[in-house]
Structures are given as structure tokens and as C-alpha cells.
Amino acid sequence: MKMMKTMQAMRPETAAADRGTEGARPLLRPWSAGGPSGAPGAAAEVTVVIAGGDPVFRMGLAALFEPLPGLSVVAEAATVAEAVAEVERHGPRVVVMDLRPGTGTESGIEGTRRLRRLRPGTAVLVMAGEGDDSLFACLRAGALGYLLRSASGTEVERAVRAVANGELLLGPGPAGRVVARVAGLPAGSAAPVLLGLTRREHEVLDLVARGLDNRTIALELSLSQKTVRNHVSNILMKIGAAGRPEAIVRAREAGLGRAG
């Protein structure tokens, strides 16, 4: 897998040997935010627990996250039970949950549901394999993010930061399935213009498709005009539109902009 190969190359062999391969354990990198999420000084820090039965998966993600500013892994867990214990201990902002069976008896979906009930303020980002049909079950269980394990390191980082801020983020493939389900379309027929947009970007694009200007959109969503401009710029880049008129056409073809 592209992401795992890249991340494994980033991880020193000695560090992996020191940590071992099984069970939940605090990492060598301390949690510098000063306490669980919500404690003084914790707001800017995205603290993460990595849960998955595959030690290579855990080590790879830890290696990916280690040099990233404002993001720190506080613990790893090989089972759902261990993940629950680490969440209770550290109160992380995000749990990255591998859906592959681990050494415990609970599935990643059950673990997601349990963690969300235990600590609603902790977001769960699920990572699954190609062909996995658990997307909607994970969303019903409370997951805010769903990526394929073939996602790039950049995509994983973006997803972790997005769900930490309460955004729903789906990889392009999973997003297409959601759009198709909501729109009542056959699987695989979702409009590409919607793929990869965050929930907020989707809201902004819908209002753009209705013909609203940035000032009106800012008032509608209680955002600053600068924030709206940034969202619009990101949307244009993601959907490959040359400008606002083209974005409106594509959004309306995808079924947006019909209300109001």
C-alpha cells in the first residue's frame, strides 16, 4: 500500500523496536497540550489515539504524524478495549480506527459506537480497505471521517485535522457512495463535482449555486467574508472550475442550488 510504504520509510527501526508490536502503550512523544481535550492550552493541539490490530498500520501512522505541527499521537491500541482505556486516560480529540479485525472481539464499527457514547467530543476517523461495505454502518455509529487505507499521507493528515474540528470528511470513493445514496442514484453515478468536499464546502457551494454572493453567504452561515472567500477558492481548486460561473454550472448539474 502506497501510504504504508511511505510511512514505514519515515519511521526509525530503533523506535519501532523500542515500542514493540502489540498492545496499547503511550508513545515516546509526550502529550504536550497539558491534559485531556478541553484542558488549558489544549485547544490548538490535535491529540490522536491510533487503534488497530496491525502493528505496521499503527507504526506507519505514528511515523506520519510525528513531524506534523500541532498534531501528536498520545497512545496506540491493538483492540477496542485498549482504545477505550486510552481514550478515557488521554481524552484525545481524534481516534483513528482501523476496521481490520484485531486481537479483540469487537469490530471497528462497534468500537466507533462505543467510543462516541463514552466521549462524544472525541471524533473517530475510520480507515477501511477497498471493497469494504461498512461506510454507512460507520456513519450511523458516529464516525466523522472515512478513508480508504490506500489514501495518501496528505489525505490522512487533512482528514484528521478536519474531523478534529467537527467536519465530516469522506474520501473520494466513499463520498461518491454517499452522494449516490442521498440522491437516489445508482452506485458509481454520483456527480464528481461533490467528491472530496468537506461538509462546510458543500454548504458554501450549494449557496453559490443559488446565486448568492460572498457577503450573503457569510451572513447565512455566520462566517466572515474572508472565510467564505477561502472556502470558495478551495472549492474551485477541488472541482477544477476556472471561476465562479463554471462552479455554479457544475454544482447545479450535481443537484445543488435548488432550494431557496
Side-chain angles (χ1 to χ4, degrees):
M1 185 177 75
K2 177 179 68 176
M3 184 184 75
M4 289 295 103
K5 288 181 180 179
T6 301
M7 294 190 292
Q8 288 178 54
M10 297 169 61
R11 189 68 177 176
E13 293 181 1
T14 53
D18 288 342
R19 286 170 47 215
T21 59
E22 293 298 330
R25 57 189 61 81
L27 300 182
L28 295 179
R29 183 178 181 182
W31 183 27
S32 59
S37 180
E45 186 79 1
V46 178
T47 49
V48 181
V49 167
I50 302 172
D54 182 0
V56 175
F57 171 84
R58 300 196 307 270
M59 288 189 293
L61 283 183
L64 171 68
F65 296 152
E66 186 170 14
L68 299 178
L71 193 156
S72 61
V73 178
V74 296
E76 296 178 17
T79 68
V80 169
E82 291 171 356
V84 168
E86 295 300 339
V87 168
E88 289 181 322
R89 181 176 297 117
H90 296 288
R93 291 178 64 184
V94 178
V95 173
V96 180
M97 177 76 71
D98 187 7
L99 283 193
R100 283 175 294 192
T103 56
T105 58
E106 291 182 274
S107 71
I109 298 172
E110 293 168 338
T112 297
R113 185 177 296 109
R114 186 174 170 188
L115 289 171
R116 292 290 292 160
R117 288 174 178 170
L118 171 70
R119 189 175 178 84
T122 293
V124 177
L125 169 64
V126 168
M127 299 195 68
E130 297 281 352
D132 195 305
D133 61 358
S134 62
L135 170 60
F136 294 101
C138 288
L139 294 179
R140 286 193 294 269
L144 273 182
Y146 190 101
L147 288 181
L148 299 180
R149 283 189 291 273
S150 58
S152 69
T154 300
E155 290 171 328
V156 176
E157 177 192 357
R158 176 170 171 258
V160 168
R161 296 190 189 279
V163 300
N165 290 326
E167 298 180 35
L168 175 66
L169 193 143
L170 308 176
R177 280 188 277 163
V178 170
V179 173
R181 172 76 67 87
V182 172
L185 301 173
S189 63
V193 69
L194 301 176
L195 305 186
L197 298 184
T198 66
R199 179 172 57 187
R200 178 62 82 186
E201 288 167 349
H202 187 281
E203 292 172 342
V204 171
L205 182 56
D206 180 61
L207 295 176
V208 168
R210 297 185 203 179
L212 303 185
D213 58 20
N214 287 353
R215 179 177 178 278
T216 306
I217 293 173
L219 293 173
E220 182 78 16
L221 299 178
S222 299
L223 300 173
S224 70
Q225 291 189 55
K226 180 180 179 181
T227 298
V228 172
R229 285 197 302 272
N230 290 339
H231 281 311
V232 171
S233 296
N234 289 336
I235 290 167
L236 294 179
M237 178 183 65
K238 287 182 179 181
I239 69 176
R244 201 180 189 99
E246 184 178 349
I248 292 174
V249 171
R250 294 192 181 189
R252 289 180 177 173
E253 288 176 347
L256 298 183
R258 295 177 180 175

